[in-house]
Amino acid sequence: MAIKNIQKLKRFGIFHNHTNANAKDFGKYNLFYGWNGSGKSTLSGIFRCIENKANSEKFPSSELTVGIDAGTAITQENIAESDLNVYTFNQNFIDENISWDSVVKSILLVDKAKIEEHEKLEELKKTQKTDSEAHSKEAEKIKNLEGAISKFGTDSARRLKMSLQSIDTSDSHYLNYNKTKFEAFITANRQAMKTDAPLLDEEKIIQLTNAAKPNQKNPASFIQQTISQETFIKAKERLDNLLKTSVVSKTIQRLVGHGDIKSWVETGLEIHKRHDTNQCEFCGNNITEERAKQLEAHFNEDYKAFQDRLVKADSWLAGQYVQAPMLPAVSDFYEELKKEYSEACVALDKATINLNEEISAWHTALKEKTANPLETGLAVEAIKESSIKAFNNAMAAISASVGKHNHKSANFKEETDKAKKQLELHYATTEIKDFGYHDKKSEVAKRATANNTLKTTINNRNIEIRTLEESLSNEGLGADQFNESLHKFLGRSELTLHFNPVKKGYELLRNDSDLVEGNLSEGEKTAIAFVYFITKLKENDNKMEDTIVVVDDPVSSFDSNHLFHAYSFLRSNCDTAKQLFVFTHNFTYFKLIRDWFEGINRNRRRRNPPKDQNAFFYTIEASTAIPRHSTFKDADSSLVNYNSEYHYIFSRLHAYRDSPALSRDEAFLTANLARKLLESFFSFKFPKYRSDIAQLMDRGLKNCEVTDEATKEKIYRFINKYSHSVVIEINEDSAENLVGESQNVIGDIFTWLQEVDEVHYNEMVEVVK
């Protein structure tokens, strides 16, 4: 895979909001040109982040999107997963690897002589890569599964909290219910949740929900009654005896056949005795003695005694009717008990009615016997055992409801907590069964164990690989190659590296004896750092064709005499790289690399059939607005086509001269370009005065007729005010003056150049056009 583009770059230092709108996708060879301070080193930091598989510590809130030609784009979210093989040379690389006062880190180059060990190492690395990728993918899948389980815990806890908190908003346990409590509950009730026992039907859920409410009630008062079956068995025996009993009397058939007449006559006989009269109060006639004897014989003493028994039996039986007890009101009970209590009361009422109906049938038969004591054909049914049982069961159910109510009142918190726990167990069991929680947890544990075993294998193989690398690697070989390259680079051999096994790195020696200890020129430092970087590219048998190489300014203004060495060294070592990115501010070095890259494009165009170019050129440009921000874009054709920075500046400024309107940023830029153009032109024309721009301009004004002192002063003030001011002015009209003056001053500058050297000016205009 190769890097295709940088699609987005936000808050990465001076790159506030870069997009890829004005830049072609990268090729195999990529050259960036930008002046000091434009953001070259900052941009190289992007590649350093990809190399380190980590986001920038310097810009922690930065965002980036780096396109890959055959894979997922690299972002700040997934940069740790990048497998691009990137090596970056910049100041960070130098700081991390070289201490100019003490030691340079070791270089481990592979000894090619040990062929079998080398082949084994390659095989181990191949296997290691496969296993590492498998481990990473599996770790990601396990992480996703754990994330799903974690999300399930959070979501389930929220649902349980809503269900249980709505019952009792004063319960802090459920008010603050969260994933931690939910998972702890699952762990504590794991065994109970394995079956469907905790799952409740809708009616039970409603009942427990009511039972959990925080509304405490007073105890209820109730005395349970019980009816004995034995009592009614004995009563039936006595009643049957009365109904079948008859007294010996001289019966008067009419009285036997008419009970109402019998009762009337019997009552009248008693009245006559009490008033001691034998005259009939109804007809007024005297009752004969014979009639009186007949009636006395009918109602003799035995008859009267039996009649008295029947009356007493009637009185007892009237007392056997079941009276409804005083029951507590349904509203006095807890909500979850109201239904069962109401049902028990209804059952009691029904049982009472049934019992009283059966007793009433007994009573009717007794009244018939009382009305006609001589009747022996009467009979009654036994009181049903089921009726008595129904009454006693209803009484027991009421007593049980009262007992539950009173128990809850006496143990209110304990009972409401118990109801909540049952509900919690139901809801939690429902959640884990729907989600398959235990299966997923088991799967995570099983896969994690297997992946950890694979990780152990990878770690052990790493030890084996390191052991092989150490046997194949040779620090002395690294020092030899480094010294050979450094001596070619510098053109002299007094600086050398010697491996120090105690320091586990190289000591810098001058003339093979004296420690350098920081006593190095800037050119020597640059040469050592760059050669060290190129040598490190070959470390551990790294393949150049698999490597993306990034080089940030291998030459500085202090060692420009080495730029040809830097160019040739880079070309000879990195031409076969998978991709090459070069950043520079030095125009001469830029030209060297540019011509190399352009030669590659030219050769590709000449092929049959022609091939697309694979070398591209970019400029890094910083705005002049405050705060400054940078972006990079395709290089202007003038930068690619011209052979000097002077050509480039002349071309840019000449293009602005013909522009109908300049933006504010372009106007600021013209001031910088104008100063560099005048300095270059007059320094070449008048080399004696090159150290002072004011003197150069005074010398250039001599013998001029069109350009006068006033014009020169305007140009001088313009380039100093807007390109070289220590303080950027932000008064009410400075920017507007700049925009308005830019084109006039640019015209004056080119008029001046033409007047001083018309031949040069005309040829330059012809070149840029």
Side-chain angles (χ1 to χ4, degrees), residues 146-166:
E146 288 176 332
I149 294 172
S150 177
K151 185 177 185 299
F152 159 76
T154 301
D155 294 344
S156 297
R158 184 178 64 253
R159 287 191 287 269
L160 261 70
K161 177 180 179 179
M162 292 173 63
S163 298
L164 296 168
Q165 182 186 355
S166 62

Side-chain angles (χ1 to χ4, degrees), residues 574-671:
C574 299
D575 185 53
T576 59
K578 176 184 283 289
Q579 269 186 302
L580 179 60
F581 294 84
V582 181
F583 299 82
T584 184
H585 76 286
N586 187 297
F587 194 78
T588 304
Y589 192 71
F590 170 82
K591 286 194 301 177
L592 290 171
I593 304 298
R594 178 198 65 186
D595 293 344
W596 167 25
F597 287 2
E598 266 295 278
I600 293 170
N601 283 340
R602 191 163 48 250
N603 290 334
R604 291 175 68 86
R605 289 193 295 267
R606 290 173 178 171
R607 292 186 181 182
N608 189 16
K611 288 191 173 184
D612 293 336
Q613 65 182 23
N614 64 351
F616 298 94
F617 307 93
Y618 308 90
T619 54
I620 304 173
E621 298 182 4
S623 72
T624 54
I626 301 299
R628 295 169 66 243
H629 61 273
S630 281
T631 188
F632 69 86
K633 60 184 181 180
D634 293 334
D636 187 86
S637 59
S638 61
L639 188 62
V640 179
N641 296 331
Y642 300 149
N643 286 324
S644 72
E645 189 175 28
Y646 177 76
H647 283 77
Y648 173 63
I649 294 171
F650 192 100
S651 172
R652 291 291 301 273
L653 200 60
H654 197 272
Y656 285 131
R657 177 190 188 182
D658 297 332
S659 178
L662 298 178
S663 69
R664 185 166 179 257
D665 286 352
E666 288 173 333
F668 272 108
L669 180 60
T670 59

Side-chain angles (χ1 to χ4, degrees), residues 249-250 252 255 261-263 265-267 269 273 294-301 303-304:
S249 64
K250 191 175 180 179
I252 301 172
L255 297 182
I261 297 175
K262 191 266 307 181
S263 297
V265 171
E266 184 178 18
T267 302
L269 187 61
K273 284 182 179 181
Q294 286 178 340
L295 291 175
E296 288 287 344
H298 186 88
F299 298 109
N300 60 25
E301 290 301 324
Y303 179 91
K304 290 179 180 179

Side-chain angles (χ1 to χ4, degrees), residues 236-254:
K236 182 179 183 303
E237 291 176 354
R238 292 196 298 269
L239 184 58
D240 285 340
N241 181 265
L242 284 173
L243 293 177
K244 290 179 172 57
T245 299
S246 177
V247 293
V248 178
S249 64
K250 191 175 180 179
T251 59
I252 301 172
Q253 195 60 41
R254 182 171 176 76

